[in-house]
Amino acid sequence: MTSPRKPKPAVTVVIPTLNNIRGRRYLTDYFKDKPYKAIFVDNSKVNLGFAAGVNKGVKEARSEWLLILNDDIEFKDIKGRGRSKEIDDLIIFAKRNGLDAVTPVLRNPNGSVENVGYRVLPFGKVELITAEVEDDSGLDGITAACLLIKADVFRRLKGFDESFFAYLEDVDFFLRFKKQGFKFAVAFDIEVHHNHMTTSKTMGNFKARQDLINWWRLYFKHKNRFVFNLAFILERLRNLSGFIKATVSQFL
C-alpha cells in the first residue's frame, strides 16, 4: 500500500546566506516547526551571490508561491509551532488583489520605515519611498528583501540576472516584471523587521564596487529608462567616489 502524497507547500522560502550566523540561526529556528519549505542556500564556501543563490534555491521549489528572504529579516510573531501570520497574510493579500508579487513594509531596527518600494530616476539613481503611497503604479519596483512572488512568474522572467551578483538585481528584475505587465503592490498592514546590511557592512568596499558596476549594467540593459546627460555622469562619479572612499577606509 502506497503512502499518501504530502500536499505541496503553499510557499517555499528561499534564503541565501553568507556570514550572518545570527540571522541564519534565527530563521532556522523560526521555520523549523512551520508548514513551509525553507531552503537555505549557503554561499559561505562558494559565494554565488544573492541573485544566483536565489535562482539556485528556486530550482528546488514546487509551490505556487515563493518567499525570497534576506537572512537579516525578522518576523514580528513569535517563534515556535504554527503558521506565520505575516506570510499567510501576504498570500491572502496577494490573492485578494490579483497580484503577482507583494512585499510587507520593512522597518529598520530603530522602528523607522526602510522603504515601501522605489522609483528608478532617469539619471541612474533609486529613490526609496518611505511613506505610504496612494497609487502603487507610481512605483517602479519593490525590494527583494522579503518578496512574495508567484513561482511561475519568477520562472517566466528567468529569475534574477546573475550577472548582477549582488545589489540592484531586484531593480533589474522589476523593470522587466513591470514591462511584461505583471502586478505588484505593498501590503501596508503587514510589517517585518530588516536588520539592513548585516552582511555587506562586514565586507569592506564590496557594496560600493557592486553599485559602481551594476549601475552601468542597468544602463546598457534598460537604456530606454535612462538619460545619458550631465546628471547621469555626475551620479556615476558619485558611485566612483564612494568606491574609492570605501577602499581607502579599509587601510586606515
Side-chain angles (χ1 to χ4, degrees), residues 57-108:
V58 169
K59 289 178 182 178
E60 299 181 34
R62 298 294 181 269
S63 56
E64 179 184 1
W65 295 93
L66 304 169
L67 181 67
I68 298 168
L69 205 63
N70 279 16
D71 63 4
D72 52 7
I73 292 290
E74 293 185 7
F75 296 91
K76 296 177 72 174
D77 64 342
I78 61 173
K79 294 178 284 186
R81 295 183 181 277
R83 306 185 68 85
S84 166
K85 185 177 187 306
E86 286 98 334
I87 294 175
D88 286 355
D89 285 351
L90 282 173
I91 296 173
I92 292 169
F93 181 87
K95 289 183 175 181
R96 182 182 297 154
N97 293 281
L99 301 172
D100 301 295
V102 62
T103 180
V105 174
L106 302 179
R107 286 204 177 269
N108 294 311

Side-chain angles (χ1 to χ4, degrees), residues 26-43:
Y26 164 82
L27 290 171
T28 300
D29 189 30
Y30 182 81
F31 283 110
K32 68 180 181 181
D33 293 319
K34 289 186 166 50
Y36 319 108
K37 182 180 173 93
I39 299 174
F40 290 86
V41 182
D42 188 355
N43 281 336

